[in-house]
Amino acid sequence: MRTIRGRLTFAFAIAMGAALVLFAGIVLSSSRRSAERRMQARVLNAAELASRIIEQGGTGVFGGVIVSEGGQPNQPLLSQGIRRLLGVLPGYLIVSDSLRVLYESPPVERLSDRDRSRLARASIQAFSPDSAAGFLTMDSTRLFVRMQFERSDTRAPSLRVLAAENADALQLHRLDLFTPILVTLPLIFLLSVIVAWGLSGANLQPVDRLIDDLEAIQDGRSLHRRLPVESDENELDRIAEKINAMIARLEGSFAGLRRFTADASHELKTPLTVLRADLERAMGSPNVASDQLPALEEALAETARMADLVDSLLTLARADEGRFDIHRERVDLDAMVRDVADTASMLGEGAGVTVTLGEVVPLVVQGDPVRLRQLFLNIVTNAVKYTSRAGSVAISLEQRGTDAAFIVQDTGLGIAAADLPFIFERFWRADRARSRGGERGGFGLGLAIAQWIAHAHGGAINVASRLGRGTTFTITLPATRQQ
Ligand code: ADP
């Protein structure tokens, strides 16, 4: 759950789940309460109806209420007419006086003896001036019982009516609801989580777009671009506005920095040229003392290095400013590669490194010959520079698909895997101490310039290296056509 979409859906699922469980609980308990109320009403009805029948019987309507068995006034029975009428009523029904049961409905007769006598006792022993109600747990079942006292003072003894209904039905009622709830609620849950996932995805799409747009602006050269802002009411648009303002400020400072580097390099060029000319003149003068010569030579070498640095800085600063238009013309790469290989051979001779020219396929590109030569030279000089004596450098030009591939393979020092991602950064050198001064003295700008030239031609530089084993640089450039 690391994405906002995942977290939103998860939070929604939890809220939805809790709401559904709560809903199910409320539905179940309220339906149980209403079923209970309905049952109580039914039992009350039955009890009242029974007492009404008995009351009517008292007026002699249904053939009298009580008939004495064998003329025994203390052993009364309910008359047949009343019994028949009571038999029509649903549920459990007992009519008794304070001593014994006078009538039991068929469901009571079907109860076990124990349950039957328990119910009879409840009816006989119940004492209340009014009606009473409650649950009675039997062996086989649980009953909701309602007592009704017949208080007709015209008859003695007064009668009591017990009506009851099976309370287990309530449980069953709950089960009835349980099944649909168990099926529908998980379905609703699942559907709503799917909808939530879809909706959050749709609502987060502008965030994805914002991330894509930002990614496109990430590199320093795209700072002129801005994020699209549709209105200022939307939170994301407000964020985009703030980011745009920040990018504008960054663009300003970057531009200032580039301009400063370009201007400073440019300003340094002339004094350095003058200095170089002066030093050369001084060295050539017959009046110069021989002990001053080494110092003058060193000064000249350092001035040359500084002039190189200023040149590289100016190249990069102009490239950053977009002030370097790559001048495009037809370039025969094979001829250029042969030429570069010759230069490399000369460099290699001085350094004790063998330079070999392998396969050279005739290929043509559209590009700037000066810049392309600079690119190739940067790579081959590095190869010679970072290869020890008795090592070798192999140069070739191949065709790879529609691209021309310039490959320089050396058996030199190699580059550690951890260093590879940084080699194209400005002023980066694998081992500053190793390359400082002497023949390997560099500024760490050569590869940055090489990469810029390759990119400006729609190409790329790839490097594969193993420390101590050697390095292979491959420069690919889109070839216009084969010869
Ligand atoms: P430098 O002026 O130091 O040569 P580059 O930008 O040309 O600067 O190269 C950056 C760094 O990459 C070098 O300092 C060196 O450590 C490493 N490097 C470049 N080419 C090679 C190579 N062929 N073999 C080993 N290391 C290399």
Side-chain angles (χ1 to χ4, degrees):
M1 290 299 152
R2 286 169 57 196
T3 58
I4 295 184
R5 186 184 190 183
R7 272 191 245 153
L8 276 179
T9 314
F10 183 67
F12 174 81
I14 291 199
M16 189 70 187
L20 286 178
V21 167
L22 196 73
F23 172 73
I26 290 172
V27 165
L28 282 177
S29 83
S30 74
S31 88
R32 186 194 154 90
R33 268 203 307 279
S34 80
E36 207 171 294
R37 272 197 300 275
R38 282 200 303 277
M39 185 188 74
Q40 288 175 1
R42 277 198 306 277
V43 174
L44 176 67
N45 268 349
E48 277 183 345
L49 220 63
S51 36
R52 196 77 48 81
I53 290 168
I54 293 166
E55 205 178 294
Q56 291 294 313
T59 62
V61 176
F62 304 120
V65 183
I66 312 255
V67 290
S68 296
E69 201 184 347
Q72 303 271 327
N74 53 350
Q75 280 195 334
L77 289 173
L78 281 187
S79 70
Q80 272 309 315
I82 300 276
R83 280 170 167 279
R84 252 198 313 278
L85 278 173
L86 290 179
V88 177
L89 295 179
Y92 301 87
L93 197 68
I94 294 180
V95 181
S96 64
D97 61 13
S98 58
L99 293 173
R100 63 188 198 116
V101 170
L102 304 181
Y103 167 80
E104 282 176 330
S105 67
V108 179
E109 286 167 356
R110 283 197 293 274
L111 285 172
S112 70
D113 286 348
R114 241 164 80 101
D115 283 352
R116 201 170 155 189
S117 63
R118 190 176 291 165
L119 208 57
R121 244 192 338 272
S123 162
I124 295 163
Q125 285 169 5
F127 175 78
S128 166
D130 292 309
S131 51
F135 287 94
L136 195 65
T137 308
M138 317 286 279
D139 282 346
S140 53
T141 176
R142 193 161 158 267
L143 296 181
F144 176 73
V145 178
R146 174 100 206 176
M147 290 296 300
Q148 196 79 21
F149 289 83
E150 180 55 45
R151 284 184 292 160
S152 158
D153 42 28
T154 56
R155 284 180 322 280
S158 72
L159 300 181
R160 45 194 71 190
V161 172
L162 178 147
E165 199 174 286
N166 202 338
D168 290 343
L170 287 180
Q171 224 60 32
L172 283 176
H173 183 81
R174 208 153 63 165
L175 267 182
D176 278 354
L177 269 177
F178 221 76
T179 326
I181 280 179
L182 219 65
V183 176
T184 35
L185 289 200
L187 254 176
I188 293 175
F189 177 75
L190 208 73
L191 274 177
S192 48
V193 168
I194 291 172
V195 170
W197 175 256
L199 279 181
S200 54
N203 278 293
L204 285 171
Q205 240 172 27
V207 179
D208 283 338
R209 272 203 301 276
L210 191 73
I211 294 170
D212 288 346
D213 290 341
L214 260 180
E215 250 163 16
I217 299 179
Q218 246 178 18
D219 83 273
R221 256 156 256 136
S222 310
L223 285 176
H224 59 281
R225 294 177 59 172
R226 293 290 178 271
L227 299 172
V229 180
E230 275 152 28
S231 74
D232 55 359
E233 286 156 23
N234 180 312
E235 290 84 348
L236 283 178
D237 284 334
R238 274 163 45 210
I239 291 179
E241 257 175 14
K242 299 284 170 243
I243 295 177
N244 279 345
M246 201 174 75
I247 296 174
R249 280 199 299 277
L250 274 178
E251 189 188 19
S253 359
F254 266 77
L257 208 65
R258 283 191 204 124
R259 214 169 310 120
F260 172 78
T261 319
D263 292 349
S265 317
H266 188 73
E267 292 304 321
L268 280 170
K269 255 177 102 104
T270 322
L272 275 174
T273 318
V274 174
L275 195 61
R276 200 168 171 170
D278 285 350
L279 281 169
E280 277 166 354
R281 206 172 323 115
M283 281 170 72
S285 154
N287 302 335
V288 67
S290 59
D291 58 339
Q292 286 175 332
L293 260 178
L296 284 174
E297 267 168 17
E298 201 184 326
L300 187 63
E302 284 304 316
T303 313
R305 245 171 76 78
M306 225 176 333
D308 277 353
L309 171 64
V310 166
D311 238 28
S312 300
L313 280 178
L314 196 59
T315 305
L316 284 171
R318 286 191 175 153
D320 287 346
E321 280 188 303
R323 272 207 274 156
F324 251 138
D325 287 335
I326 291 286
H327 158 76
R328 295 198 182 256
E329 63 182 65
R330 178 199 149 99
V331 179
D332 292 328
L333 273 194
D334 44 316
M336 184 178 282
V337 167
R338 283 203 179 85
D339 200 42
V340 167
D342 284 345
T343 316
S345 292
M346 283 192 285
L347 286 173
E349 266 170 34
V353 174
T354 323
V355 178
T356 53
L357 185 62
E359 183 189 13
V360 180
V361 177
L363 287 164
V364 173
V365 296
Q366 279 296 320
D368 189 325
V370 179
R371 291 291 163 202
L372 287 176
R373 180 183 298 273
Q374 186 182 9
L375 160 63
F376 293 167
L377 272 176
N378 276 0
I379 302 297
V380 292
T381 6
N382 273 350
V384 173
K385 202 158 64 169
Y386 298 107
T387 300
S388 314
R389 259 173 199 286
S392 64
V393 172
I395 300 171
S396 60
L397 180 69
E398 297 173 9
Q399 181 166 10
R400 295 215 176 141
T402 54
D403 287 342
F406 174 68
I407 302 160
V408 180
Q409 189 172 13
D410 67 52
T411 58
L413 308 177
I415 304 164
D419 289 340
L420 276 179
F422 308 107
I423 60 167
F424 295 103
E425 281 180 15
R426 292 169 191 190
F427 292 108
W428 189 92
R429 278 169 290 157
D431 179 352
R432 278 156 195 268
R434 160 179 105 179
S435 45
R436 234 196 119 63
E439 64 205 59
R440 285 186 190 136
F443 299 106
L445 292 176
L447 285 182
I449 293 178
Q451 193 183 44
W452 163 68
I453 297 173
H455 286 174
H457 282 82
I461 300 189
N462 283 304
V463 54
S465 186
R466 282 181 68 187
L467 201 59
R469 292 285 184 84
T471 310
T472 305
F473 276 90
T474 308
I475 291 132
T476 46
L477 297 166
T480 43
R481 69 182 167 84
Q482 278 171 263
Q483 277 187 337

